[in-house]
Amino acid sequence: LSGDGTIVARVPSIQNTNVWAKVGVMIRESLAANSTFADMLLTPGSGGAFQRRATTGGSGTTTNVTGPAPPYWVQLVRTGTSFTGFVSADGATWSLIGSATVSMATNVYVGLAVTSHSPGVLCTATFDNVTFTPQAPDVPPTVSITSPIAGAVFYAPATIPLAATASDSDGTVAKVDFYSGTTLLATVTSAPYTYNWSNVAVGSYSLTARATDDKGATTTSAPVSITVSSSSGSLPAPWLDQDIGVLGVPGSASYSNGTFTVAGSGTDIWSSSDQFHFVYQPMSGDGQIVAWVASVQNTNAAARSGVMIRRTLAADSNYAAMFITPGAGADFQRRTTNGGNTASSALAGIVAPYWVRVTRRGKTLTGSISADGVHWVQVGQVNINMGSSVYLGLAVTSHDNTALCTASFNGVTATP
């Protein structure tokens, strides 16, 4: 046998040369008497025995079960270094007797074994329904990190959304583990493979994802290097900024003389996940964010610049936002559930400069616009269950993931 495989046989009879005479199926590394092996055996009067020798010349170990005796079925399975023995009365319903780890070479011997347990005496046994099924080697899974992107910069205490894709061509993915260096951050057992890594301190980090398939094979992704800095450039406290989602061009933010300048790429803030640059601060309970969108670069008619209240910093978080676009008017957008679809209410003809506002009162979030910052027009309202702690701030997406859209904001106030 080369690699994995299964041997099955029915044992109609065994001569009772001793109650511990043995007959059954075996896989062993060599034909030497002291070889490593595993087997599933029956006896005339002592039940079934799953046996193994884990090291060459070492002691054998036995797992016994009373009851099974010829005529009876036996089965032995090799999967990598794992060997498992089964018995069955009918060849259809199998009972697990034991499983053990035995390291063997790829090429081994598989077959039928008989011992009389009485030196100088032959024990005769019969076998039928013998089948041997080699198994193709397990194809390891594939895995890659999709968020964050290499070179991304975050600001302490950072919340970093981790995401990976994983698949297995000859089975299923059992789990995906996220690591920072050798430190396990999280284990995710079903798709989507995502995790929000919170309160990350200043430093440089190498992130990997390791996928394990249903047969135990593993693959580790290419590493993604990121940096967590102590401050977000010249932004005044408590403002922070970071890219949300997977962006083609890293964004940035700065502040000078009352003006926030924010640059963000990204496909869109839409559908079930977002890609944009966010200048934000945490908020607990009710409050609002107000800003005058002084300008927004026309990278696309639907490039978006405005204010947002968001449950988390994950790309698929629920949120409500009030945007100004270069050519698609004012837009109140919301995602009411994490990973859900986005809805919008738009007013045509509105362009920068213009005031925008999002207010939170309990579960109710309201988006409004104003030409003068005094007289406000409600564009939309929605109920979203967000919990007490949220993030509010300024959001910019270019609607073109290969380009940065730069927008400027004045009169920014975040009021709890």
Side-chain angles (χ1 to χ4, degrees):
L1 166 66
S2 180
D4 297 340
T6 300
I7 183 168
V8 176
R10 189 177 79 100
V11 180
S13 65
I14 179 176
Q15 190 177 356
N16 190 2
T17 55
N18 186 289
V19 293
W20 282 108
K22 294 169 183 166
V23 56
V25 290
M26 175 183 285
I27 297 175
R28 66 190 294 119
E29 187 171 43
S30 78
L31 300 180
N34 64 350
S35 172
T36 55
F37 74 87
D39 60 31
M40 187 64 241
L41 305 175
L42 300 172
T43 66
S46 301
F50 170 66
Q51 299 183 159
R52 58 273 188 195
R53 180 183 294 125
T55 59
T56 301
S59 298
T61 304
T62 301
T63 302
N64 292 110
V65 59
T66 58
Y72 227 79
W73 293 72
V74 287
Q75 178 182 186
L76 184 64
V77 180
R78 180 196 192 189
T79 305
T81 60
S82 177
F83 292 81
T84 309
F86 302 85
V87 297
S88 172
D90 57 7
T93 301
W94 294 90
S95 298
L96 171 66
I97 304 305
S99 184
T101 298
V102 182
S103 295
M104 294 190 195
T106 299
N107 297 319
V108 295
Y109 297 91
V110 58
L112 313 174
V114 178
T115 182
S116 66
H117 204 83
S118 180
V121 177
L122 283 174
C123 173
T124 300
T126 58
F127 299 83
D128 60 23
N129 291 280
V130 177
T131 61
F132 168 57
T133 309
Q135 295 176 356
D138 181 28
V139 178
T142 61
V143 61
S144 62
I145 292 179
T146 57
S147 177
I149 61 174
V153 178
F154 300 88
Y155 301 98
T159 296
I160 301 174
L162 307 180
T165 58
S167 62
D168 188 45
S169 62
D170 62 346
T172 59
V173 175
K175 64 176 181 176
V176 171
D177 297 313
F178 289 101
Y179 286 88
S180 171
T182 60
T183 301
L184 177 64
L185 302 177
T187 297
V188 184
T189 56
S190 60
Y193 304 107
T194 59
Y195 173 71
N196 283 335
W197 185 22
S198 301
N199 298 317
V200 185
V202 171
S204 297
Y205 299 91
S206 178
L207 305 177
T208 56
R210 186 176 69 185
T212 303
D213 70 12
D214 54 328
K215 300 180 186 67
T218 63
T219 300
T220 300
S221 71
V224 172
S225 297
I226 63 168
T227 301
V228 178
S229 297
S230 58
S231 65
S232 50
S234 57
L235 294 180
W239 292 102
L240 303 168
D241 75 296
Q242 71 174 64
D243 285 334
I244 303 295
V246 180
L247 273 67
V249 184
S252 64
S254 62
Y255 176 84
S256 179
N257 297 321
T259 298
F260 287 82
T261 302
V262 183
S265 63
T267 303
D268 204 356
I269 304 173
W270 190 249
S271 189
S272 60
S273 66
D274 309 319
Q275 308 87 43
F276 66 102
H277 199 74
F278 196 29
V279 176
Y280 65 93
Q281 60 177 274
M283 180 180 78
S284 181
D286 294 342
Q288 68 178 16
I289 174 77
V290 177
W292 186 53
V293 181
S295 64
V296 54
Q297 188 177 356
N298 188 6
T299 54
N300 185 285
R304 305 182 197 282
S305 174
V307 292
M308 174 184 287
I309 296 178
R310 188 175 191 87
R311 174 68 186 91
T312 74
L313 301 178
D316 65 349
S317 172
N318 53 18
Y319 75 90
M322 190 68 242
F323 294 123
I324 300 297
T325 68
D331 194 9
F332 175 65
Q333 290 188 183
R334 60 273 186 189
R335 180 183 298 121
T336 58
T337 59
N338 292 332
N341 287 323
T342 300
S344 68
S345 303
L347 287 178
I350 306 298
V351 296
Y354 228 85
W355 289 88
V356 289
R357 181 179 70 187
V358 173
T359 302
R360 183 195 191 197
R361 295 289 181 267
K363 296 187 297 183
T364 303
L365 290 104
T366 306
S368 306
I369 59 173
S370 172
D372 57 9
V374 177
H375 303 92
W376 291 90
V377 175
Q378 180 176 307
V379 181
Q381 190 173 80
V382 66
N383 289 331
I384 306 177
N385 290 315
M386 285 192 177
S388 178
S389 298
V390 296
Y391 298 92
L392 79 171
L394 313 173
V396 176
T397 183
S398 64
H399 209 282
D400 179 351
N401 208 26
T402 66
L404 286 171
C405 174
T406 300
S408 58
F409 303 81
N410 296 100
V412 178
T413 57
T415 308

